[in-house]
Amino acid sequence: MSDRNNKIPFDEDNYTHNINRNNERMLDRRGFMKTLAGAAGVFAVSTLPWGAVAAKELMGLGDKEYPHQKIADLKDVKVGDSVKFHFPSENDSAILIRLSENKYVAYQNACTHLRCPVYWVKDEQEMICPCHHGKFDASTGAPTAGPPRRPLPGIEVEVKDEAIYAVRVKRYEA
Amino acid sequence: MKRSYVGVLILAAILMMNIVFTQLVVHQYYYENYGVTLLYAGLNILLFPVALFVYKNEKNKGGSKGYEK
Ligand code: FES
């Protein structure tokens, strides 16, 4: 027991195990640095699309100005009524609500939960999503009940010459 | 010959910044701060040549053997 550490474990008849062979170490210091530099390249390339989209957003559709679109004539919308329309494109359904004599609000009415169309319930003064009973506050677009968590994107409206126009989609405020 | 880990440390720091900038790019994009997004994306891209430069300079600094230089 006492000289247990003093023994050579096996007969050593060759000395090749400590020969320093070429490329023996797969990931040495240099290889590691090469990997790091490569990873930096991957990161650089992967941010390119984000930069490109951001640049496009900055130049082209900076404030997302769409051609003004007439929604309805003033006389056709009574207080408490709502009108469906499409803005900014054919496929973005939206809803206009006249809350009071001079207060108009408009939202893109695809529910922020799973994009069901939200509609206006006059009696309850609330916007309701039929799919899972999400509810939205009509004056702000903020969700008040049900699964939706984000507000409906607002649309800026303008009253001009006895008609209501959709001007732009408001910036999404998180 | 004592090996040099300076390059490794600098490159690791660069990679760290890469990760941070990438995260910032994505977040700022969703917050619609497109100018800031561009700034960070630019920085992220700039880091790559810097990393290459560091690698080129450091790769031969100090292996375990002098003759490997
Ligand atoms: S889609 Fe509107 S609540 Fe689920």
Side-chain angles (χ1 to χ4, degrees), chain A residues 82-121:
Chain A
S82 69
V83 182
K84 277 196 191 137
F85 63 105
H86 293 271
F87 187 78
S89 84
E90 269 306 292
N91 300 318
D92 303 304
S93 72
I95 192 167
L96 169 87
I97 306 164
R98 185 172 187 179
L99 287 175
S100 67
E101 199 52 47
N102 290 314
K103 191 163 188 236
Y104 304 89
V105 289
Y107 304 99
Q108 291 190 327
N109 73 338
C111 180
T112 51
H113 177 224
L114 292 174
R115 303 192 67 81
C116 285
V118 174
Y119 63 92
W120 166 242
V121 182

Side-chain angles (χ1 to χ4, degrees), chain B residues 10-22:
Chain B
I10 295 178
L11 283 169
I14 288 177
L15 202 61
M16 180 75 188
M17 292 203 278
N18 266 138
I19 294 169
V20 172
F21 287 154
T22 305

